[in-house]
Amino acid sequence: MLKAENVSFRVQDKTLLHDASVECRPGEFTVLMGPNGAGKTTLLRLLAGLYQPSAGRVLYHDQPLSSFSATELAKSRAVLSQEIQLAFPLSVADVVLMGRYPHFQRSPSAHDRAICAQTLAELGMSHFADRDYSTLSGGEAQKVQMARVLAQIWETPPQGHRVLLLDEPVSSLDLRYQHQLLQLARDFSRQQAIVVAVLHDINLALAYADKIVFIKEGQIYDTLPNPDELTAEMLEEVFDLAMCVITNPLTQRPLVIHASADMR
Ligand SMILES: Nc1ncnc2c1ncn2[C@@H]1O[C@H](COP(=O)(O)OP(=O)(O)OP(=O)(O)O)[C@@H](O)[C@H]1O
């Protein structure tokens, strides 16, 4: 279990997140949603241990996240950030291999390379292995970064569960790959991994999330353990848009349609 207990995060005199509590369980795909600047990335980075809470605590397997060493964490917790810039030229294969850095000393084993080849294949990117990463399109680069984080936590550690934290992982992907990547993330959670993703598309969240956490103005507005119970009223409050929840004729699941705030 990965758990935030009453966490707050302040920078100088500004509170970016206030008193947030969330529980992310193995086997579960949790989605964080909310308006721009609400605090989603801040919460994800707190869950990752990349930020230290100003108040409250983050627990991983019932122990403070801060009690784990960086190397220990890197073997079981991977983070896909929004913008990734490389300072020097690398091939796609080398970028994916970066995910294996916590697992080898001087040079990667055949096993490390095999895992990287497999994750690149999972993302349909094998044929890009030798390409200069800097020449990739935004969507291609996003798929390669997903292959990198999957390679990092491909194997379950002897104790505990793997944690995959994804910040807007489909922002550059076409519709088909948005579904493919989220399917992959959900399948990954089903191997008893903890998966948390920040998404902006409520319909994708509804299609893939086991739990949706809504964040607004630096606070958790609501947590929906069953996304099918989503109401238009709640969405209107969070996003300040006119919303309607209908049934998707293709899936028979809830589908959200929206219009400008003037329609409310
Ligand atoms: N280092 C910082 N100093 C001051 N303000 C910051 C800092 N980092 C983030 N913020 C502010 O904190 C707020 C929350 O940021 P965060 O990145 O968590 O939002 P978000 O919900 O992920 O937004 P988006 O949907 O736009 O990505 C924003 O208003 C942001 O400008």
Side-chain angles (χ1 to χ4, degrees):
M1 168 106 85
L2 180 66
K3 198 171 167 184
E5 282 185 348
N6 307 102
V7 291
S8 296
F9 186 70
R10 282 185 286 278
V11 176
Q12 287 144 12
D13 57 350
K14 191 177 172 191
T15 300
L16 310 191
L17 196 70
H18 178 67
D19 200 24
S21 296
V22 62
E23 289 186 0
C24 308
R25 294 189 171 81
E28 202 174 69
F29 184 12
T30 302
V31 168
L32 310 181
M33 293 207 70
N36 288 139
K40 304 178 294 297
T41 296
T42 304
L43 178 57
L44 196 82
R45 293 180 74 84
L46 284 161
L47 289 171
L50 299 173
Y51 287 164
Q52 299 310 316
S54 314
R57 57 186 192 160
V58 178
L59 300 175
Y60 178 40
H61 302 315
D62 294 326
Q63 289 183 48
L65 200 58
S66 51
S67 68
F68 293 84
S69 73
T71 317
E72 247 178 316
L73 266 188
K75 287 180 179 167
S76 58
R77 180 274 282 128
V79 188
L80 179 66
S81 299
Q82 272 184 54
E83 300 249 324
I84 295 151
Q85 306 278 353
L86 293 185
F88 37 85
L90 281 177
S91 72
V92 163
D94 285 340
V95 169
V96 181
L97 201 55
M98 286 167 74
R100 299 300 299 169
Y101 283 2
H103 301 275
F104 62 83
Q105 298 286 330
R106 282 173 175 271
S107 51
S109 65
H111 179 60
D112 292 314
R113 292 193 184 281
I115 288 172
C116 293
Q118 195 169 344
T119 62
L120 260 188
E122 291 273 346
L123 272 298
M125 293 295 289
S126 301
H127 54 299
F128 281 94
D130 296 326
R131 264 279 285 280
D132 175 350
Y133 176 82
S134 68
T135 66
L136 297 181
S137 73
E140 288 161 354
Q142 203 160 34
K143 290 183 220 171
V144 170
Q145 290 298 339
M146 182 70 175
R148 175 183 61 80
V149 292
L150 287 178
Q152 185 182 336
I153 53 171
W154 193 244
E155 298 142 311
T156 307
Q159 289 121 12
H161 303 279
R162 294 169 292 172
V163 179
L164 181 61
L165 301 167
L166 307 168
D167 198 351
E168 299 192 29
V170 299
S171 56
S172 300
L173 301 184
D174 66 46
L175 278 179
R176 179 165 158 258
Y177 274 104
Q178 290 178 23
H179 283 279
Q180 190 171 329
L181 189 140
L182 291 175
Q183 182 77 53
L184 194 62
R186 190 171 61 179
D187 289 350
F188 194 78
S189 75
R190 298 307 188 251
Q191 300 166 36
Q192 286 306 296
I194 295 162
V195 182
V196 184
V198 173
L199 294 180
H200 276 296
D201 184 329
I202 182 64
N203 287 314
L204 285 175
L206 281 172
Y208 294 98
D210 297 308
K211 179 161 82 188
I212 305 179
V213 179
F214 289 98
I215 302 173
K216 187 180 181 185
E217 294 167 1
Q219 299 199 47
I220 292 190
Y221 179 85
D222 209 346
T223 298
L224 270 186
N226 178 4
D228 284 1
E229 288 171 5
L230 186 79
T231 65
E233 291 72 26
M234 184 187 156
L235 284 175
E236 288 185 340
E237 284 300 317
V238 175
F239 293 103
D240 193 24
L241 277 182
M243 301 271 191
C244 180
V245 183
I246 60 171
T247 301
N248 183 334
L250 290 176
T251 62
Q252 307 307 317
R253 300 279 318 281
L255 178 75
V256 175
I257 52 176
H258 38 78
S260 87
D262 306 345
M263 303 290 289
R264 285 184 73 179

